[in-house]
Amino acid sequence: MAEQFPAGRLAYGMQLPVQSQSALFAEAWEADAGPEDLVEIARTADRAGFAYLASCDHVAIPRRLADAMGTVWYDPVATLAYLAGVTERVRLLSHVAIVGLRHPLLTAKQYATLDHLSGGRLILGVGAGHVAEEFDVLGADFAGRGPVLDETVDALRAALGPEEFPEHHGERFAFEGLGQRPRPAQERVPIWVGGSSPAAVRRAATRGDGWLPQGDPRDRLPGQIAKLRRLRAEAGVEAPLTIGAITEPLYVGEPSWPVGRRALSGKPEALAESLRAYAAMGVHQIQVRFRSRGRTELTDQMAAFGADVAPHIE
């Protein structure tokens, strides 16, 4: 929820490299990277004030999509748990867990354990998914994934709550009298809903603690945020909603190599001025991504952002 992050400050987090290597966004150096690189990146994020690190979720990629998406998709629970052990404060976000692929009690067991082991640092980001073959091979309902996700969020509210024997009775899932420990360290695990379709925005507004947009450009965000607030008010939900945005690719300083037409680069003050526009729209947290040619350049960029840009985006 919005109060997870300091009031009046635009929080910043990032999707981890290496753990997902789609041709759409992976840098060339990630192909040869591994666990030691993830550890150093996570420790840098911890030191540089990043609010969270995020990991994606795909079980298996069909051949028809492999050229674009790649087949490197680390398991988010294993990845975030591994990095929890080498960090102290940075939060751990699934961006996003395709929770409709699994029974809610299985998802709750995995993520409650992660929250317990990390001392309450989990943010559970959820989404509907888009790969039909992935659902089919696991016996999950692809055509009905939207309604399934709606009920799964409700079931996870119960299963990740304080009760040792949670209870849920819905159209697709029903459980009671089944105990799960350890319980999450947090009294209420934040659930952030991913996606920018009308259904995803409605789901975030009525069921979520946060919204993770999927590729909305700056000019589209104000309308989406207004819609979120209207739907949330109409549903009578008074709890705060953490509104997110994914920024353009960044490079702190003047790059000596082509970082791409869309990338924002330059002096820290100029970058900060550009990013403050997100806060003016009503955004609470931004997910940043840095152009880089190797791990050291990436961690240098992260450190420079934390030291020189972040103080000016409040």
Side-chain angles (χ1 to χ4, degrees), residues 36-102:
E36 66 281 358
D37 300 288
L38 283 170
V39 167
E40 186 55 38
I41 292 161
R43 286 174 170 160
T44 300
D46 216 31
R47 293 190 298 265
F50 282 69
Y52 63 78
L53 294 169
S55 182
C56 301
D57 181 23
H58 279 291
V59 172
I61 306 301
R63 289 187 185 274
R64 70 178 178 89
L65 296 174
D67 286 346
M69 293 181 64
T71 57
V72 178
W73 295 86
Y74 287 31
D75 178 79
V77 178
T79 303
L80 295 173
Y82 177 67
L83 297 178
V86 298
T87 55
E88 295 181 356
R89 48 150 299 277
V90 69
R91 295 187 69 114
L92 310 162
L93 168 66
S94 58
H95 187 179
V96 287
I98 308 171
V99 292
L101 294 175
R102 308 163 180 91

Side-chain angles (χ1 to χ4, degrees), residues 14-40:
M14 66 178 283
Q15 185 82 240
L16 284 159
V18 182
Q19 54 82 33
S20 62
Q21 295 187 29
S22 167
L24 298 175
F25 51 75
E27 301 282 13
W29 65 268
E30 296 177 47
D32 297 320
E36 66 281 358
D37 300 288
L38 283 170
V39 167
E40 186 55 38

